[in-house]
């Protein structure tokens, strides 16, 4: 028994998409726990999908542990917040019963992950928890593209989907590399910026670590015509 009780609630990072890109600590937590909570999204047609579930099942985890929860995908976050609160309540009940609980998160649980809504609720409820770090999608993307993401004294600015032409222009003028996460939320802004600034280089990433992975530096031929899905991001830097 280590400093952390096996009965802690653990937020486990699953990595960007490929089942191999989880840590040994994450795999041990998944194998040893009693319950695993993870998000499932439902399309307008009613189709259920979960990248988290795909990663978990690739490791032959006992399916009786699985506790999927439906996460509404809407700009109105009230239903999603209720779902997170429900999961936190269930985690607390499990913890009080002496069960070991995992809350699974795609990417890294502590990096732009909405699972913080669950950990915030647990904190308010006085329930102990810990985070198991993982591989963020932008680190995996850089590796897959053969990029040295930052070198020497280079600065990196991360913009989480609220990009504006002013933010992008200021960062690049001041010599910083820019990583835009949640790219689908600012698609028009980014495309307009690229069309107006021909002295900017870009690398576009989509569905990193999955069979549908797509990476391109072709602004005119690939990036501008392509719709940006939820799992997309982009690096920008001055040429």
């Amino acid at each position: 028994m280590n400093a952390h009780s096996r009965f802690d609630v653990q937020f486990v990072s699953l990595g960007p998409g490929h089942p191999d890109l989880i840590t040994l600590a994450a795999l041990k937590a998944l194998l040893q726990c009693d319950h695993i909570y993870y998000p499932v999204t439902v399309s307008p047609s009613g189709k259920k999908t979960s990248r988290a579930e795909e990663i978990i099942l690739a490791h032959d985890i006992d399916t009786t542990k699985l506790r999927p929860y439906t996460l509404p995908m809407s700009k109105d976050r009230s239903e999603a917040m209720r779902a997170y609160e429900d999961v936190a309540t269930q985690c607390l009940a499990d913890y009080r019963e002496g069960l070991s609980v995992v809350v699974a998160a795609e990417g890294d649980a502590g990096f732009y992950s909405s699972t913080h809504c669950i950990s915030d609720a647990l904190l308010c409820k006085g329930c102990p928890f810990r985070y198991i770090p993982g591989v963020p999608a932008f680190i995996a993307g850089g590796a897959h593209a053969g990029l040295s993401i930052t070198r020497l004294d280079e600065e990196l600015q991360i913009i989480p989907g609220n990009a504006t032409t002013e933010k992008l222009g200021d960062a690049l003028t001041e010599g910083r590399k820019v990583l835009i996460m949640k790219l689908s939320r600012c698609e028009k802004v980014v495309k307009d910026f690229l069309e107006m600034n021909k002295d900017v280089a870009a690398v576009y990433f989509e569905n990193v670590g999955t069979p549908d992975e797509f990476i391109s530096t072709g602004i005119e031929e690939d990036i501008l015509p392509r719709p940006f899905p939820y799992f997309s991001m982009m690096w920008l830097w001055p040429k």
Side-chain angles (χ1 to χ4, degrees), residues 205-227:
F205 300 91
E206 184 178 301
N207 293 308
V208 170
T210 75
D212 297 323
E213 179 177 277
F214 178 79
I215 300 174
S216 178
T217 58
I219 294 175
E220 297 292 337
E221 61 270 33
D222 286 331
I223 298 174
L224 292 178
R226 195 176 187 91

Side-chain angles (χ1 to χ4, degrees), residues 126-202:
C127 181
F129 60 85
R130 64 167 174 156
Y131 278 78
I132 295 179
V135 179
F138 79 93
I139 295 293
H144 289 193
L147 294 176
S148 176
I149 294 173
T150 51
R151 303 181 182 187
L152 300 175
D153 295 329
E154 284 181 334
E155 295 182 3
L156 169 65
Q157 181 170 340
I158 299 174
I159 301 177
N162 58 357
T164 64
T165 54
E166 292 78 13
K167 285 183 183 179
L168 297 175
D170 289 348
L172 296 175
T173 298
E174 294 171 11
R176 295 190 294 275
K177 282 187 175 179
V178 175
L179 168 65
I180 309 169
M181 307 286 292
K182 305 178 186 293
L183 194 57
S184 59
R185 289 172 44 193
C186 55
E187 179 174 341
K188 185 177 187 307
V189 167
V190 173
K191 288 181 176 179
D192 288 348
F193 182 82
L194 289 174
E195 287 183 324
M196 291 185 297
N197 295 271
K198 303 301 183 181
D199 57 345
V200 172

Side-chain angles (χ1 to χ4, degrees), residues 19 35 52 81 128-129 143:
H35 291 166
M81 294 306 295
F129 60 85

Side-chain angles (χ1 to χ4, degrees), residues 90-158:
Q90 292 170 36
C91 288
L92 179 60
D94 289 347
Y95 169 76
R96 287 175 172 169
E97 289 182 23
L99 299 175
S100 175
V101 179
V102 158
V103 179
E106 297 159 13
D108 183 278
F111 185 78
Y112 290 123
S113 173
S114 56
T115 51
H116 77 84
C117 299
I118 301 173
S119 63
D120 288 350
L122 290 177
L123 190 63
C124 292
K125 298 174 188 294
C127 181
F129 60 85
R130 64 167 174 156
Y131 278 78
I132 295 179
V135 179
F138 79 93
I139 295 293
H144 289 193
L147 294 176
S148 176
I149 294 173
T150 51
R151 303 181 182 187
L152 300 175
D153 295 329
E154 284 181 334
E155 295 182 3
L156 169 65
Q157 181 170 340
I158 299 174

